[in-house]
Amino acid sequence: MSKRPMAILFDMTVCAGCNACVEACREGHGFSDGKDEIHELAADAYCSLNEKEDYSYRNLCRHCIAPSCASVCPVGALEKRPEGPVSYDAGKCMGCRYCVTACPFSIPRYEWDNPIPAVRKCDMCWDHVEQGGIPRCAEACRYDATLFGPRDEMLAEAWSRIEEDPDEYYAHVYGEHEVGGTSVLFLTPFPLEELGFQKRLGNESLPRLTWDVLDKIPGFAVTAAAGLMALGWIIRRRDEVGELEARIRTDRVTANSKEVRHDDRR
Ligand code: SF4
Ligand code: SF4
Ligand code: SF4
């Protein structure tokens, strides 16, 4: 697969609101519970679909080029991959939920109901893409409203649509520069701010701004990071020791019952 950074382009002006992207996303991630209309992101809904005037619009993780979620994660559970997606490793996550707070687009959701909770968000269907597929939402879209390809080609496509039909589009590609650029790009008929979920975020990468502030208090930054990494290590270690103890207990019970059966035969 290409190592060029990939991106999703969503064009609100041609979206038919058919919901196929939402259904494909949920089915592809094993959430086949019959709930098909998703208006809010949730731990079991990685993208949503809403309406404004005569238009439909999607919401999903933007796969930021400099993701705030990854920059605040003390144990490296979230990571920006060179191919585009911001991936998440539940095995590393210690459940601090800093990523949930740090995301400027309020994307990650936490599994409050799960005894072993994880953070959930769009993964750009990376397991599927690595096997030669494309994100399930783009695969399902029959209207060229959700496209997937190299980010530079998606940007070129977006600008060519604007130039070909300037009356239809608001002349801006959201995600080209916002928060340092994102790997999900939006084309809209009016300023995205009018949809309510888009704040004025500026073009500066947010992790850079954060670290500029923390640079002024280096002792705090280093101590906090070291403390959180240690905490993460202790939690993971405690879980590993717990699993090992459980395995030893199971082995002992099995060995004892074998001995009893052996004695019975004598
Ligand atoms: S949109 Fe939020 S969750 Fe997604 S990569 Fe950016 S900061 Fe992380
Ligand atoms: S890229 Fe995959 S996980 Fe993300 S919204 Fe599309 S189908 Fe869902
Ligand atoms: S599948 Fe395409 S046209 Fe249908 S709602 Fe999703 S983005 Fe819009």
Side-chain angles (χ1 to χ4, degrees), residues 238-258:
R238 193 188 57 192
D239 290 348
E240 282 166 10
V241 169
E243 274 172 29
L244 189 62
E245 283 175 351
R247 234 180 295 140
I248 290 169
R249 272 198 301 277
T250 313
D251 288 350
R252 277 203 196 123
V253 170
T254 314
N256 286 345
S257 64
K258 274 186 189 153

Side-chain angles (χ1 to χ4, degrees), residues 10 34 43 66 70 73 103 124 128 133-134 152 157 165 171 180 185 189 233 237 246 260:
F10 172 64
C73 180
C103 173
M124 227 190 230
H128 195 49
I134 63 170
D152 52 353
E157 172 70 23
D165 205 347
L185 307 165
W233 184 86
R237 186 79 190 120
V260 170

Side-chain angles (χ1 to χ4, degrees), residues 118-210:
V119 170
R120 295 293 176 208
K121 68 168 198 70
C122 162
D123 55 6
M124 227 190 230
C125 293
W126 210 246
D127 54 340
H128 195 49
V129 174
E130 279 185 319
Q131 287 170 14
I134 63 170
R136 295 171 179 96
C137 50
E139 205 168 61
C141 182
R142 288 172 289 123
Y143 297 89
D144 280 351
T146 297
L147 302 176
F148 177 73
R151 188 173 184 271
D152 52 353
E153 287 180 20
M154 292 295 99
L155 275 170
E157 172 70 23
W159 279 111
S160 109
R161 288 187 184 198
I162 292 172
E163 275 152 28
E164 273 169 29
D165 205 347
D167 293 340
E168 197 60 42
Y169 291 95
Y170 178 64
H172 188 89
V173 182
Y174 283 93
E176 182 170 13
H177 301 296
E178 279 78 9
V179 299
T182 63
S183 303
V184 175
L185 307 165
F186 283 75
L187 276 178
T188 58
F190 42 69
L192 198 52
E193 287 81 358
E194 290 180 19
L195 295 176
F197 66 72
Q198 179 82 18
K199 299 169 206 148
R200 290 186 183 277
L201 297 167
N203 294 342
E204 189 87 42
S205 117
L206 297 180
R208 245 212 64 202
L209 290 178
T210 315

Side-chain angles (χ1 to χ4, degrees), residues 55-72:
Y55 298 97
S56 298
Y57 62 94
R58 304 186 61 202
N59 192 18
L60 67 157
C61 170
R62 309 301 198 277
H63 297 280
C64 308
I65 288 170
S68 311
C69 57
S71 80
V72 297

